[in-house]
Amino acid sequence: MFSTAIDALPSTSPLTIKRFKTLGINTYYDLLNYIPFRYENYPVAPSIASLQSADTVTVVGTILKTETGYPRRGLTIQKVTVTDSTGELELSWFNQPYLLKLFKPGTELAAAGEVKRMGRKVFMTPNEYELPIPGRPFKHTGRIIPIYPEKLGLSSKLIRDKMQKILDLLDTEPIEWLPDEILTGNALLPAHEAYRAIHFPKTKTEILKARERLSFDELFTMQLSTALIRASWKKEEVTFPFTINGEVHKKIDAFIAHLPFPLTHAQQRCINEILSDLSLQSPMNRFLQGDVGSGKTVVAAIAAYAAYLNEQKTLVMVPTEILAEQHFANFTSFFEPYGISVGLQTGSKKQTDENSQIIVGTHALIQKGVSFENIGLVIIDEQHRFGVSQRAELKNKGISPHLLTMTATPIPRTVALTLYGELDMSVIDEMPKGRIPIKTFLVRPEKRENGYEWIKNEIKNNKTQVFIICPFVEESTEETMATVKAATKEFERLKKDVFSQFRVGLIHGKMKAKEKDEVMLDFKAKKYDILVATTVIEVGIDVPNATIMIIEGAERFGLAQLHQLRGRVGRGSAQSYCYLYTSEDSPANFHRLIFFTRTINGMELAEYDYKQRGAGDIFGTRQSGLADTKIADLTNFALISQTQQVVSQFLQNHTVDDFPLIKEHLAKYRIDQIARD
Ligand code: ADP
Ligand code: MG
């Protein structure tokens, strides 16, 4: 019954079913897990006579009369007078003539909303109403009522109706999926009660208890899933086992000694962790985190060198052609002195042959165009979603290599523990010495012009280059056409009205990969002074001569994302600057952006946003789907570690195969995950 297809919902129109499916609600279970984002409380008022202005209540009365008013063109008012034995209340709705067909004099009506009293008359423009059914509890009035995210024209009222139906249908079904020992051991509400309470709570305490139970469910499922994946990976055998013996260590030490800089302690620690993984028979699944500029590439290069010393090839995959070129240049400079051949493979270039020991390329191309023979190590850079799907992909290719994924997105420990528990983490939490910190300023709107003047001088005097980042217009998972339009418009304005004597370029996500690369390469080659960009330039690109960045609409970005953007400057030896322009003057925004101007550590920034705005923000709006939980709060560390203990104890004493309902939940969770990827 839990997994009954939503199509089976009684007396529901095909359109509603279709809308549910568009929202990813395919089963009764999915609908039950469509969680209200807030509640309204409308207790029943004792009597109409007792009503006071500003009371937010439900009034139950008998309909006396109804009428329609026409105050002006295009506007109608439906007025309904109800009465109890103590007085009369005038209800009004706007432009809803069909209501008067429902409201016949003599019937009972319950209306919920805020009361207005003027002398002896009382009025209400109800937020909710219903025609009570004798013997049935109220659904939309007279209680704490849930408000749902109203998407695709699905009203809270409709969702409530459907929810009630499902809850009634499931009342006698065995939907509890957690074993008793876990329920009692953690003082959790039974599943039935939890779902009733989250959708139709009697008290606020009930909501809290229900949230706790459902959060537990979500975290338990996530963590059980990652624990099982981890265990199955540990059992796998790597296709080409490496030997990391004294001789290999000696060669690696010599390689490090010949680098143009000493490694930081953090880099050295991460290398040791990687080498220790590489010495095992089971494949490495390591995830290397490090702030922009912390020096991940050289760590990856040393892993590739270890593969080379074991006569194995390394694949390096990156998201864009530009990054591929950049990495190709980096790896070539590391490996040329050792006679190790590095290849490049992108949409427009193919410079590989059978001698290439290290092949750098874009993700998509490598999937198609490369032989996976003798690939002992795969490195994936600038990836936001890590591991699970990549390993599955590689398995499809018939290999089980060591896998190193890297990101500059700082992920706080609690999030990492929950979302990426299947991976081992290494963090480069130290910057190379001698970096000049970028100076960051929050610019008041009235100083905008001064900013432009200063930039003009900088370009003239120092031949520096400037990024101007335009914000999202709409919050969405992808760069939208509207955002591109806004950037284009700003580009025209800057080019014509502000920086007419300079060369201004434009780059955005709706351009073809080739066009984007061209613009970036031209910018790198100093053919533009100023580059107007959307967030497409967020990832890994290196233009050492660019020392100034303006970020428009800074309030729209997560701090970690602002940090990623800011990381595009400060890559050369000159002092760099980042200016935040914002049009929102709320204190919260001010504090947040000021915090950003004072903080250069990516992890601290991520944690700030994580605490204030939730995990979705760590990844920026673009990637927000990744860290969204349905109900669990990823900052609730107590609950996270509690579920973690429960999971590990459960796995010690049982196998999941003996728990079909838990298996069903896991399968469901993984399908949702894949849908998100
Ligand atoms: P990211 O972690 O953002 O990928 P990179 O690997 O591109 O950073 O490194 C950024 C720059 O820092 C490169 O120019 C690299 O050569 C340099 N670098 C890396 N490690 C060190 C170090 N230990 N000391 C000084 N410079 C370093
Ligand atoms: Mg990098």
Side-chain angles (χ1 to χ4, degrees):
M1 200 63 160
F2 222 30
S3 52
T4 306
I6 198 76
D7 309 65
L9 210 55
S11 51
T12 306
S13 75
L15 180 63
T16 300
I17 302 276
K18 196 173 142 216
R19 286 173 172 166
F20 278 141
K21 286 185 174 170
T22 310
L23 290 179
I25 298 170
N26 294 305
T27 60
Y28 284 8
Y29 172 81
D30 292 338
L31 188 57
L32 280 181
N33 283 287
Y34 199 66
I35 306 293
F37 73 101
R38 66 183 175 86
Y39 298 86
E40 296 275 8
N41 192 5
Y42 298 114
V44 178
S47 66
I48 290 178
S50 70
L51 293 176
Q52 297 299 327
S53 272
D55 283 355
T56 303
V57 287
T58 298
V59 176
V60 186
T62 308
I63 298 175
L64 260 187
K65 58 173 185 193
T66 68
E67 62 179 300
T68 304
Y70 302 91
R72 60 178 160 79
R73 260 187 97 150
L75 186 67
T76 63
I77 300 186
Q78 288 68 46
K79 283 192 189 163
V80 176
T81 311
V82 294
T83 177
D84 62 2
S85 52
T86 69
E88 288 180 11
L89 168 69
E90 190 180 301
L91 305 168
S92 44
W93 284 267
F94 295 97
N95 284 344
Q96 298 183 50
Y98 61 91
L99 287 178
L100 297 194
K101 295 209 180 81
L102 296 173
F103 299 161
K104 297 281 180 240
T107 47
E108 283 257 289
L109 175 62
E114 195 179 315
V115 172
K116 218 182 257 157
R117 177 179 278 282
M118 289 159 85
R120 301 194 39 208
K121 291 197 111 183
V122 240
F123 305 87
M124 179 194 284
T125 308
N127 296 331
E128 305 280 347
Y129 70 86
E130 69 189 298
L131 301 171
I133 302 169
R136 298 274 302 176
F138 288 126
K139 216 175 343 181
H140 308 290
T141 63
R143 57 184 304 156
I144 301 175
I145 61 158
I147 313 290
Y148 296 93
E150 298 190 337
K151 292 182 187 155
L152 306 176
L154 292 164
S155 67
S156 286
K157 198 175 172 86
L158 178 139
I159 296 170
R160 256 176 251 140
D161 273 328
K162 304 302 169 193
M163 212 59 94
Q164 180 99 68
K165 214 160 259 167
I166 291 186
L167 283 167
D168 289 349
L169 284 171
L170 291 180
D171 230 7
T172 52
E173 296 286 326
I175 63 166
E176 183 55 69
W177 64 289
L178 287 179
D180 269 350
E181 62 183 72
I182 292 184
L183 286 183
T184 45
N186 297 278
L188 297 172
L189 278 188
H192 272 116
E193 281 178 42
Y195 283 117
R196 272 241 179 251
I198 202 80
H199 296 297
F200 296 99
K202 292 197 189 70
T203 61
K204 286 190 179 146
T205 324
E206 254 191 23
I207 303 176
L208 294 180
K209 285 296 281 179
R211 286 197 76 89
E212 194 180 304
R213 162 70 210 253
L214 299 178
S215 300
F216 184 97
D217 285 9
E218 191 174 23
L219 291 172
F220 178 84
T221 313
M222 286 169 118
Q223 293 181 338
L224 183 62
S225 172
T226 56
L228 290 173
I229 291 171
R230 190 185 175 90
S232 80
W233 282 354
K234 292 274 181 235
K235 270 192 253 152
E236 263 176 44
E237 287 202 3
V238 77
T239 315
F240 306 107
F242 290 9
T243 308
I244 307 291
N245 54 19
E247 200 180 326
V248 169
H249 272 292
K250 228 159 101 189
K251 286 189 173 148
I252 289 174
D253 289 344
F255 182 94
I256 293 172
H258 283 95
L259 288 171
F261 43 74
L263 292 180
T264 61
H265 291 292
Q267 283 172 315
Q268 188 65 60
R269 188 189 68 241
C270 293
I271 289 166
N272 294 344
E273 286 163 359
I274 289 168
L275 291 178
S276 137
D277 286 354
L278 294 179
S279 69
L280 302 176
Q281 301 287 313
S282 60
M284 165 164 82
N285 288 296
R286 190 162 287 275
F287 173 35
L288 177 63
Q289 261 191 77
D291 219 331
V292 198
S294 61
K296 292 182 291 295
T297 317
V298 65
V299 173
I302 288 164
Y305 188 53
Y308 166 79
L309 295 173
N310 279 275
E311 291 168 10
Q312 295 303 323
K313 293 185 180 182
T314 297
L315 267 190
V316 183
M317 308 203 226
V318 296
T320 64
E321 284 203 17
I322 289 252
L323 271 182
E325 301 250 358
Q326 218 167 269
H327 271 29
F328 173 66
N330 282 332
F331 277 81
T332 304
S333 75
F334 286 131
F335 289 113
E336 214 160 37
Y338 297 85
I340 301 171
S341 159
V342 181
L344 172 68
Q345 184 154 355
T346 68
S348 47
K349 279 191 198 127
K350 188 169 180 209
Q351 292 170 234
T352 49
D353 56 41
E354 56 280 14
N355 291 327
S356 307
Q357 299 297 316
I358 294 164
I359 303 160
V360 183
T362 41
H363 199 170
L365 266 167
I366 274 182
Q367 280 175 333
K368 284 185 235 139
V370 167
S371 144
F372 278 77
E373 234 169 280
N374 286 337
I375 300 284
L377 170 66
V378 173
I379 297 170
I380 306 177
D381 194 13
E382 302 294 358
Q383 190 75 20
H384 288 279
R385 175 95 207 150
F386 322 93
V388 179
S389 56
Q390 278 95 359
R391 181 147 297 288
E393 242 169 56
L394 293 166
K395 215 170 171 174
N396 283 340
K397 302 275 180 199
I399 56 164
S400 184
H402 292 295
L403 182 60
L404 178 66
T405 36
M406 311 199 286
T407 185
T409 306
I411 301 170
R413 218 176 94 82
T414 47
V415 185
L417 276 176
T418 314
L419 295 178
Y420 308 121
E422 73 275 8
L423 297 165
D424 295 303
M425 300 273 166
S426 289
V427 185
I428 308 183
D429 49 6
E430 181 187 354
M431 289 301 247
K433 296 218 164 49
R435 290 274 161 83
I436 311 173
I438 300 163
K439 289 190 176 157
T440 306
F441 303 94
L442 182 57
V443 183
R444 295 167 178 285
E446 67 270 19
K447 295 274 168 137
R448 173 180 290 269
E449 296 303 322
N450 300 20
Y452 288 151
E453 285 311 309
W454 182 83
I455 286 173
K456 287 180 195 169
N457 282 327
E458 285 292 304
I459 300 176
K460 268 188 222 141
N461 300 337
N462 301 327
K463 299 270 169 292
T464 188
Q465 287 169 286
V466 182
F467 287 110
I468 300 183
I469 310 298
C470 295
F472 307 111
V473 172
E474 289 166 43
E475 306 259 319
S476 80
T477 46
E478 249 185 72
E479 201 169 289
T480 58
M481 223 36 236
T483 298
V484 168
K485 257 198 197 140
T488 310
K489 208 169 143 205
E490 177 67 359
F491 164 70
E492 303 288 348
R493 180 184 84 87
L494 291 169
K495 197 173 147 143
K496 263 218 270 351
D497 304 340
V498 185
F499 296 112
S500 54
Q501 73 268 52
F502 298 105
R503 297 161 304 169
V504 187
L506 171 68
I507 187 167
H508 61 68
K510 293 281 184 265
M511 287 159 73
K512 293 212 176 72
K514 218 173 143 200
E515 286 175 273
K516 276 191 286 196
D517 283 356
E518 250 163 50
V519 174
M520 270 327 291
L521 289 174
D522 283 350
F523 188 58
K524 247 179 135 152
K526 305 187 188 172
K527 289 184 193 164
Y528 297 116
D529 304 299
I530 296 167
L531 186 62
V532 178
T534 57
T535 50
V536 289
I537 58 128
E538 190 179 330
V539 175
I541 282 152
D542 211 2
V543 185
N545 191 53
T547 60
I548 300 171
M549 172 170 287
I550 290 184
I551 302 177
E552 292 281 356
E555 73 279 358
R556 290 171 184 254
F557 296 98
L559 292 187
Q561 198 184 10
L562 282 178
H563 183 64
Q564 294 268 323
L565 289 167
R566 175 169 66 178
R568 296 308 110 225
V569 295
R571 302 179 82 83
S573 50
Q575 176 65 58
S576 287
Y577 304 89
C578 175
Y579 296 93
L580 306 179
Y581 287 11
T582 179
S583 48
E584 185 191 314
D585 57 1
S586 72
N589 182 47
F590 179 78
H591 283 298
R592 198 169 150 268
L593 294 179
I594 286 293
F595 181 78
F596 179 77
T597 65
R598 291 181 185 152
T599 310
I600 52 166
N601 180 313
M603 188 63 88
E604 280 175 42
L605 292 168
E607 277 168 359
Y608 183 94
D609 258 0
Y610 175 50
K611 285 188 191 126
Q612 313 257 323
R613 318 211 308 186
D617 241 45
I618 295 166
F619 301 92
T621 322
R622 280 207 305 165
Q623 286 86 23
S624 61
L626 296 182
D628 280 348
T629 43
K630 285 209 174 87
I631 185 164
D633 171 7
L634 289 177
T635 61
N636 187 345
F637 193 57
L639 190 61
I640 288 176
S641 58
Q642 183 189 342
T643 46
Q644 217 160 28
Q645 268 168 25
V646 174
V647 165
S648 81
Q649 221 167 43
F650 177 79
L651 288 176
Q652 262 166 36
N653 301 329
H654 307 285
T655 85
V656 173
D657 284 337
D658 297 336
F659 295 82
L661 287 174
I662 291 185
K663 262 177 90 168
E664 200 181 308
H665 264 254
L666 271 178
K668 174 88 194 84
Y669 170 71
R670 286 187 189 152
I671 290 168
D672 286 351
Q673 286 283 296
I674 292 166
R676 278 181 190 187
D677 275 358

